[in-house]
Amino acid sequence: MGAKAVMTVALTHPDLVQNIIAVDNAPVDARLQSSFARYIQGLKKIEEAGVSSLSAADKILEPYEKDLVVRQFLLGNLHRPRVDPGGKPSPTLQFRNPLGILGKSLDHMGDFPFKDPHRVRFGKPALFVRGTKSTYVPDEVIPLIGQFFPLFELVDVESGHWVISENPEAFRQAVLKFLEPKE
């Protein structure tokens, strides 16, 4: 949901933002894919198991997501917290984000707080990167993107929703090109 957070900050406080890069999301309310609920189920199983290694967590998550790249992305939220002031690490991995709150928020997580692009706009450069196999930025929302973000560029990357994880080099190239000084 980083893209929606970035868009919201840009529209709310444009003085704090030079430009934005939104990855596979648009300034519209969108229903999350059913895979997100499945991911939360798998992540909760990992939490309940009290795993001590990423490989053990990956084995638990595999039935919920077959794609290794997506699993690695999801498991990137695991960490080994310190359990005492001396810095002794916990024997078990824990998620940085509270899964219960995430699970309860899924119905509204795809919402966007602004509905009228005539009331608020971001008049600075904006890059929208969309995955060609994803459904989160359909062609029909491109005009709305232009209304909220009139200086936007759109780049399609051969990937699903997890653009950065699935095609990091194409994403990197799109960002570098966008950030090049313009004449």
Side-chain angles (χ1 to χ4, degrees):
M1 306 321 307
K4 291 209 175 169
V6 163
M7 289 183 271
T8 300
V9 169
L11 292 169
T12 307
H13 301 289
D15 53 311
L16 300 177
V17 181
Q18 184 175 348
N19 58 50
I20 67 164
I21 299 170
V23 183
D24 205 50
N25 230 310
V28 296
D29 291 345
R31 185 148 177 81
L32 297 181
Q33 295 172 349
S34 62
S35 56
F36 283 87
R38 193 174 67 243
Y39 296 156
I40 295 293
Q41 282 182 315
L43 298 177
K44 283 182 176 179
K45 291 286 185 190
I46 292 167
E47 194 171 65
E48 291 166 6
V51 299
S52 59
S53 70
L54 285 175
S55 61
D58 184 58
K59 285 180 182 157
I60 293 170
L61 189 57
E62 190 172 11
Y64 298 89
E65 174 54 55
K66 296 298 178 198
D67 189 324
L68 175 62
V69 172
V70 174
R71 289 197 318 270
Q72 288 174 333
F73 173 78
L74 294 170
L75 294 176
N77 287 300
L78 278 173
H79 73 116
R80 190 175 306 278
R82 304 288 179 197
V83 293
D84 63 36
K88 182 179 176 187
S90 168
T92 59
L93 296 170
Q94 295 177 5
F95 285 99
R96 295 180 195 282
N97 302 319
L99 300 178
I101 292 172
L102 286 175
K104 291 175 185 172
S105 302
L106 286 178
D107 286 344
H108 299 287
M109 207 173 283
D111 292 353
F112 190 67
F114 297 99
K115 308 301 178 213
D116 184 358
H118 300 293
R119 298 190 72 194
V120 62
R121 287 198 174 116
F122 181 71
K124 298 177 186 177
L127 174 63
F128 282 75
V129 182
R130 71 175 171 175
T132 56
K133 299 173 192 165
S134 175
T135 60
Y136 284 105
V137 186
D139 289 342
E140 49 275 11
V141 303
I142 294 173
L144 185 62
I145 292 171
Q147 290 175 6
F148 277 114
F149 303 93
L151 299 179
F152 86 102
E153 298 173 33
L154 178 68
V155 174
D156 287 334
V157 170
E158 183 69 25
S159 72
H161 177 63
W162 310 102
V163 177
I164 299 168
S165 297
E166 294 177 42
N167 198 337
E169 183 56 24
F171 174 76
R172 187 179 79 81
Q173 290 298 325
V175 169
L176 288 175
K177 184 177 179 191
F178 173 70
L179 294 176
E180 284 178 353
K182 312 282 190 270
E183 293 182 26

